[in-house]
Amino acid sequence: MEIPMLIIIALIISFLVQTFVGRVYRIPSESMEPTLIGCEGCNGDRIVVDKITYRFNDPRPGDVVVFKGSESWNEGYVSQRSDNPVLRAVQNAGSVVGLVPPDENNLVKRIIAVGGQTVGGCGPAGEVLVDGQPVKDEGFINNPAESRKNPMNCNFGPVEVPEGNVWVMGDNRSNSADSRYHMGDQYQGTVPESDIVGKVRWVILPFSRFGSVDSPDLMSISGIDAPE
C-alpha cells in the first residue's frame, strides 16, 4: 500500500505546486531570442514561471511573463490534444498534475509598458518611446543595432495602456507577433493582467543555458516615472 500512497501524495504535491507556485514551460518559437531560445529545429529552452510574485506585486516594465492568449492572439492556435476521447481524457488529467502541457495558447513576451503609460513612436536612435521617453537600454533585444533600423519595431501607436493591462513585445523585435500586431482588438493589443500566468525566473534546460532571466527596470533606465 505504501507505493500507491506515495504516488498519490506526489501527484497531489505536483498539482499544488503547478497550480499555485510555479510551472515549467517550453519555448516554442524565436520571438524572445536571444533571451529565450526557441529556434526552428531545436528543442527550445525550458523555463520556470513563478506564479507567486504577482499575487503580492504588480507587473513591471522589463519583466518577462507568460500569459494566456485572448481571442485575437489565439488565431491559428491548434489544440495539442488527441481526437481520441480516452487519450484526450488522459492528457487532460496529466495536465492537472503537470505531466502534460496545458491545452491553451500560452505566450511569452517582455512587458514594455503598464497601465497608465503611453507607448509608441521612435526615439532618435530607433528606440521605443514610453511616455515620450526612449527606453535607452534595450540590450536584451536581438541584434540591437539592426533592430533599431527597422521602423516597424517602434513606429506604432501611440497607445495609452488601460489600467490593469500591460503592453508586451518580443525581444526578437523583427520576428515577434506581439502587442503591435493585435492593436485592432478590444484591448488595443494590450494584455489584461488577469491573463498573466506568472513571471519567468529561470532557464533550466538545456543545462548549458541554465540561469536566471533578467528583468531590467525599464522605467529607471529611461528616466520614466512609474505610474501612480
Side-chain angles (χ1 to χ4, degrees):
M1 290 293 292
E2 290 183 0
I3 293 178
M5 284 300 296
L6 289 173
I7 293 174
I8 292 172
I9 292 172
L11 291 175
I12 292 173
I13 292 173
S14 177
F15 165 75
L16 294 174
V17 169
Q18 300 271 359
T19 302
F20 301 108
V21 179
R23 188 164 193 145
V24 175
Y25 291 84
R26 183 180 70 85
I27 301 301
S29 75
E30 302 171 60
S31 69
M32 279 297 292
E33 293 182 358
T35 304
L36 304 174
I37 303 298
C39 57
E40 184 176 353
C42 67
N43 292 325
D45 286 348
R46 264 60 172 186
I47 57 174
V48 174
V49 173
D50 161 20
K51 293 186 174 185
I52 296 178
T53 293
Y54 296 141
R55 298 180 188 275
F56 305 100
N57 301 286
D58 293 328
R60 304 281 292 178
D63 290 354
V64 178
V65 296
V66 166
F67 60 96
K68 299 175 183 177
S70 57
E71 184 177 352
S72 73
W73 295 75
N74 289 338
E75 292 179 6
Y77 175 70
V78 178
S79 172
Q80 303 301 304
R81 295 294 186 256
S82 171
D83 293 332
N84 183 299
V86 176
L87 287 177
R88 186 167 61 249
V90 172
Q91 289 173 326
N92 289 335
S95 176
V96 172
V97 294
L99 299 178
V100 177
D103 189 27
E104 58 192 21
N105 187 23
N106 290 306
L107 303 109
V108 58
K109 306 291 180 191
R110 189 183 298 272
I111 297 175
I112 303 300
V114 296
Q117 294 184 309
T118 298
V119 59
C122 300
E127 316 96 317
V128 172
L129 298 181
V130 176
D131 289 340
Q133 298 294 320
V135 178
K136 296 178 181 177
D137 187 351
E138 292 184 315
F140 49 80
I141 66 177
N142 192 37
N143 198 343
E146 290 301 317
S147 180
R148 286 180 170 180
K149 292 179 182 178
N150 184 350
M152 291 300 295
N153 291 337
C154 57
N155 190 18
F156 59 86
V159 174
E160 184 175 344
V161 182
E163 293 293 342
N165 287 33
V166 297
W167 178 273
V168 297
M169 297 177 73
D171 289 356
N172 193 358
R173 294 282 168 82
S174 298
N175 191 14
S176 175
D178 46 41
S179 288
R180 295 169 293 170
Y181 291 81
H182 300 276
M183 291 174 59
D185 70 12
Q186 59 180 319
Y187 303 116
Q188 291 185 280
T190 65
V191 175
E193 291 182 9
S194 58
D195 287 346
I196 295 178
V197 175
K199 182 176 181 178
V200 179
R201 290 291 190 180
W202 301 283
V203 175
I204 58 171
L205 288 174
F207 292 122
S208 60
R209 287 182 43 76
F210 183 88
S212 60
V213 175
D214 290 338
S215 298
D217 187 345
L218 299 190
M219 288 186 291
S220 66
I221 286 172
S222 58
I224 302 167
D225 293 328
E228 297 294 332

